[in-house]
Amino acid sequence: MKFWLMKTEPDVYSIDDLKRDNTVQWEGIRNYQARNFMMNDMALGDKVLFYHSNTTPPGVVGLAEVCKLAYPDYFAWDVDSKYFDPKSTKENPRWFMVDIAYKGHLKSPVSLDAIKKEPSLIDMLVIRRGMRLSIQPVTQFEYNKIIKMGAK
DNA sequence: GCCAACGTTGGC
DNA sequence: GCCAACGTTGGC
């Protein structure tokens, strides 16, 4: 079992949207490192910290779980989609996505600032300067710690 | 809305 | 295969 942090802009898709939808296709990932995590490393049941970026304050707001293994991101084939990529074909798909399922809100969101201030979370990628990856691996300890902090 | 940091593209 | 130009991310 692995643990992940997945970023989203709440204006685009929030934890409340996920609660309403129950599951969602994580389309639109156009970064090879993030794609490779989905394609190669994610397994059914992997745990996800759901993170709101580009908002005030940024931070982890809820929990989710991988509920469908990586499959081609067909938005890349749709000329009308903002995720269209002519270099991704049905014969040779370049981009992949997984589905994730809602698992709950944190009672209190764990802000980026709170993560920075927690000494035991010093190694979390999300607080590393210049870190823009929208899908990041986290350790089991980090995952549990965030849940603990968010339960208050 | 600014801009630093970073990834990707494409000319050479 | 280098690297400048460009686009995007995301905190502030």
Side-chain angles (χ1 to χ4, degrees):
Chain A
M1 160 116 35
K2 296 196 187 68
F3 304 86
W4 307 95
L5 179 147
M6 293 169 78
K7 292 183 191 171
T8 175
E9 301 189 20
D11 290 347
V12 179
Y13 195 85
S14 73
I15 187 70
D16 293 328
D17 294 324
L18 181 60
K19 183 179 186 181
R20 178 199 64 214
D21 296 342
N22 198 34
T23 69
V24 69
Q25 319 182 101
W26 210 248
E27 81 270 8
I29 298 297
R30 296 294 177 266
N31 168 283
Y32 287 105
Q33 232 183 318
R35 179 205 68 175
N36 291 342
F37 283 138
M38 291 195 291
M39 246 173 52
N40 304 329
D41 300 322
M42 277 192 184
L44 292 178
D46 276 6
K47 308 294 187 189
V48 175
L49 298 172
F50 197 91
Y51 180 94
H52 281 175
S53 65
N54 239 316
T55 187
T56 308
V60 177
V61 293
L63 304 174
E65 209 171 279
V66 176
C67 65
K68 184 173 176 180
L69 290 175
Y71 57 105
D73 181 344
Y74 54 79
F75 290 84
W77 305 331
D78 176 0
V79 288
D80 294 325
S81 169
K82 68 170 179 168
Y83 299 124
F84 176 67
D85 180 355
K87 289 171 183 160
S88 183
T89 64
K90 291 183 186 181
E91 296 71 33
N92 191 16
R94 172 179 292 209
W95 303 116
F96 287 76
M97 55 187 169
V98 296
D99 290 2
I100 61 172
Y102 177 75
K103 286 291 157 184
H105 281 57
L106 293 182
K107 192 176 278 181
S108 57
V110 178
S111 69
L112 183 63
D113 199 48
I115 294 174
K116 285 178 179 167
K117 285 180 174 152
E118 169 51 48
S120 65
L121 297 180
I122 191 100
D123 289 328
M124 273 193 84
L125 292 175
V126 74
I127 59 172
R128 194 170 293 176
R129 178 182 163 79
M131 169 52 65
R132 300 184 316 176
L133 257 188
S134 62
I135 298 178
Q136 306 173 359
V138 303
T139 66
Q140 180 160 17
F141 172 84
E142 290 162 350
Y143 178 83
N144 289 336
K145 182 74 188 176
I146 295 283
I147 288 181
K148 206 179 240 179
M149 292 166 73
K152 287 176 189 164

